[in-house]
Amino acid sequence: MASMAAISGCTLGPEFRQPPLPARSAGAFVSALPDAEAASEAPDAWWRLYDDDALARLVTEALDRNTDLAVAAANLALAQAVWQEARAGRYPTTTLTSGAVYGRNLIANSIAAAFKGHAENLTTLLGGIDVGYEIDLYGRVAGSIAASSFDVEATAAMRDVARVAVAAETTRAYQTVRSAGRELDVAQRSVAIAEQALAIVARQAAEGAASDFDVARVRVLADQARSQLPAFEGRRQAALFELAALLGRVPAEAPFEVAQGSTTARLPMPLSTGDGAALLARRPDVRQAERRLAAATTRIGVATAALYPRVSLGASLGFANNEVLRSSNAVSFAIGPLISWSFPDQAVARARIAQSDAAAAAALANFDGTVLRALKEVEQAITACNAETQRRASLADAETHAADAYRLSGIRRREGALSQLDLLTVEQTLLVARAVLAAADTRIIDSQVSLFKALGGGWR
C-alpha cells in the first residue's frame, strides 16, 4: 500500500508544451504606417477614446445584459461544475444503505429452523456503508482534473471572445445611428435646395423663360434627392434595433434618444496597435485554442491509463437484525484492495488512445490556424483603416474647394453676376461633397471598430 501511494499520480502520455509561434509573428505589423505607435500597447477600454459618455454607458450596459454573454457565463459555470466533478475523483466514494424487509427466504428459513425448529416470516432491519478509494497509479484521475481545468480556462476565453464582439458591435451600431443621422441631415438639406430649384425653374417656365424639358430635368433631381431620405432613415432605425438587441432589450425599448444626435467622433490615425507578440497574448480566441490544445494533449494520458490496471481500496460494514440474528452475529465487514484490468482485450482502450491523438492533432492545427487568422485580421484592418484615411483626405480637400466655390458664388450673386438658380446649383455641389465626406467618416469609424475588434482588447 505504501509503494502504491508513493507512485500514485504518475502520469502517462505526452506532456503539454506551448506550441511554437510562426517566425516573425512577434514583430511590428507589416501594414502599420511608419509613424504609427507600433511599440505602444493597444488601448484597453478603446471605446472611451471617442469621448462619448452615452457610448460608454451603452457598452457597459451591453456587457452586463447581453444575452450572448449570459449564455457564455452559463457555459463557464457548466465547465466549472464538470471540473468539480472531476476533482471528486480524488476523494473516497461512500454509499450508505438502510432498509427494512418482511418475508422469508432460504437462508432465513434455515437459520430460523436451526434456532426455533420451524421457518417463519421475519421482519429484518438492514444497514451498511461502503467506502472505496481509487489509487491513481497512472494519473487517470489527475489527468481528468487537469483536462477539465483547461476546459474551464478555454470556456472563460470563449466568454472573452463574446465580450470583444459585444463591445465592438455595440460601438458600431451606436456610431451607425449617429452617422446615419448626419447623412440624413445633409440629404434633407439637398432636398430643400432641389425643391427651391424646381420652384424657380417652374416659375421661369410659366413666364416663358424655361422649357418643360428644364422643369422635368430639375424635377428628376428633386425626386432623386428625396429618394435618399428613406434609405438613411431605414439604416438608422435598423441600427437602433440592432443596438437594442445587443443591450438585451426588445425593439420597443431601443435607445431612441441616441437618434436625436447626428455628430460623429473620428479618431486620429494612425492608431496604436502594439505588435504581434502583444496581440497573440491578448486575443482571447488564441488563448482559447491554446487551452483546448492543452486539454486534448492531457486526455491522451487519460486514455493511455486505461491500458493498465486500476487499483482501488474498499471497505464495507453492514448489519442485519431480526428475531433470529442479534448482537455481533448480525454485523459483517470487509476490507481489501480491488484490481480491475481489461487484459488482454485492450482494443477499446487503444482505439480511444487513437481518438485522443487525432483530437490533439486537430487542436494543434486549430491553434496554428487561429494564430494565422489573428495576424491576418489585424493586417487587413490596418490596411482598411489606412486606405479609408487616405480616401477621406482627398474627399476633405474636395469639400473645402466646394465650400470655396460656394463662398465665391455668394459674392457674385450679391453683385448680380450670378442667378439664384446657379447659386443653388453650386450649393448642391457643396452638399454632395459633404454627403460623400460624411459617408467617408462612417466608413472610417467602421474600419476603426473592426481594427479594435481584431486587436482583441476591451479590458484587462
Side-chain angles (χ1 to χ4, degrees):
M1 294 303 138
S3 300
M4 286 190 293
I7 64 173
S8 177
C10 174
T11 57
L12 302 173
E15 180 183 357
F16 173 72
R17 298 181 183 277
Q18 174 72 39
L21 298 175
R24 300 179 61 185
S25 64
F29 295 111
V30 177
S31 303
L33 295 178
D35 54 346
E37 299 179 41
S40 61
E41 182 74 11
D44 183 28
W46 52 266
W47 52 87
R48 296 188 180 277
L49 295 177
Y50 291 102
D51 195 21
D52 191 325
D53 292 338
L55 172 59
R57 287 194 301 270
L58 290 174
V59 172
T60 300
E61 180 180 349
L63 293 176
D64 289 338
R65 301 183 56 185
N66 183 266
T67 55
D68 290 339
L69 292 181
V71 173
N75 289 334
L76 179 58
L78 173 61
Q80 291 171 336
V82 173
W83 173 64
Q84 292 289 350
E85 179 184 357
R87 288 186 64 196
R90 289 193 178 276
Y91 306 106
T93 59
T94 56
T95 304
L96 181 66
T97 59
S98 64
V101 296
Y102 173 79
R104 67 170 65 183
N105 55 41
L106 179 61
I107 298 176
N109 290 344
S110 300
I111 296 174
F115 283 89
K116 292 188 173 184
H118 63 277
E120 61 181 31
N121 296 337
L122 300 175
T123 298
T124 305
L125 302 177
L126 302 172
I129 182 171
D130 296 323
V131 180
Y133 176 73
E134 179 180 351
I135 299 176
D136 194 19
L137 293 177
Y138 303 104
R140 187 191 69 84
V141 176
S144 298
I145 295 173
S148 296
S149 176
F150 293 142
D151 286 339
V152 170
E153 294 173 355
T155 308
M158 186 186 304
R159 176 203 57 191
D160 292 345
V161 171
R163 288 172 63 91
V164 169
V166 167
E169 297 311 317
T170 300
T171 304
R172 195 192 307 275
Y174 174 87
Q175 297 289 12
T176 299
V177 173
R178 289 301 185 93
S179 61
R182 178 186 174 191
E183 293 178 83
L184 182 61
D185 290 344
V186 176
Q188 288 173 339
R189 179 57 184 160
S190 296
V191 170
I193 291 176
E195 290 177 345
Q196 291 180 35
L198 177 61
I200 292 175
V201 174
R203 187 167 58 251
Q204 291 176 345
E207 297 172 354
S211 65
D212 292 340
F213 172 76
D214 294 329
V215 175
R217 183 179 59 180
V218 177
R219 182 173 285 114
V220 168
L221 296 177
D223 291 339
Q224 290 177 339
R226 280 191 294 270
S227 70
Q228 300 295 320
L229 300 181
F232 292 130
E233 182 60 34
R235 190 160 69 91
R236 182 165 67 175
Q237 291 294 322
L240 273 172
F241 296 142
E242 174 69 16
L243 189 56
L246 289 165
L247 297 174
R249 305 183 188 180
V250 297
E253 298 175 345
F256 294 102
E257 67 278 4
V258 175
Q260 297 175 2
S262 60
T263 58
T264 56
R266 187 173 59 87
L267 301 182
M269 285 291 289
L271 299 171
S272 300
T273 57
D275 54 21
L279 168 72
L280 297 179
R282 183 174 57 250
R283 283 266 299 218
D285 56 340
V286 175
R287 185 166 65 254
Q288 176 190 355
E290 190 266 346
R291 295 290 85 185
R292 292 296 187 201
L293 174 58
T297 303
T298 304
R299 287 192 169 94
I300 297 176
V302 176
T304 305
L307 295 175
Y308 301 94
R310 292 176 60 178
V311 179
S312 300
L313 294 179
S316 64
L317 176 66
F319 76 92
N321 186 279
N322 56 33
E323 298 176 4
V324 177
L325 299 174
R326 296 178 182 277
S327 67
S328 61
N329 294 329
V331 177
S332 62
F333 71 92
I335 184 171
L338 174 65
I339 300 177
S340 60
W341 189 13
S342 299
F343 183 83
D345 183 13
Q346 295 184 328
V348 173
R350 296 192 181 279
R352 289 175 178 170
I353 293 173
Q355 295 170 23
S356 300
D357 286 337
L364 177 59
N366 179 67
F367 173 80
D368 292 338
T370 303
V371 169
L372 295 178
R373 182 171 62 253
L375 296 169
K376 176 204 69 173
E377 288 176 355
V378 172
E379 295 286 3
Q380 289 177 331
I382 294 176
T383 300
C385 278
N386 293 340
E388 292 298 333
T389 300
Q390 295 172 7
R391 179 174 178 271
R392 188 198 181 280
S394 298
L395 293 175
D397 291 341
E399 191 269 345
T400 300
H401 297 152
D404 291 340
Y406 178 69
R407 179 179 55 80
L408 296 174
S409 297
I411 296 175
R412 295 187 63 189
R413 170 60 182 165
R414 288 191 294 272
E415 294 174 350
L418 195 70
S419 68
Q420 180 64 28
L421 182 60
D422 291 335
L423 179 61
L424 290 175
T425 301
V426 175
E427 186 178 4
Q428 183 67 37
T429 301
L430 172 60
L431 290 175
V432 169
R434 287 178 176 172
V436 174
L437 185 61
D441 286 338
T442 300
R443 292 171 63 93
I444 283 183
I445 292 176
D446 187 73
S447 65
Q448 288 175 344
V449 172
S450 297
L451 174 58
F452 287 126
K453 183 178 180 181
L455 291 172
W459 52 89
R460 296 299 177 189

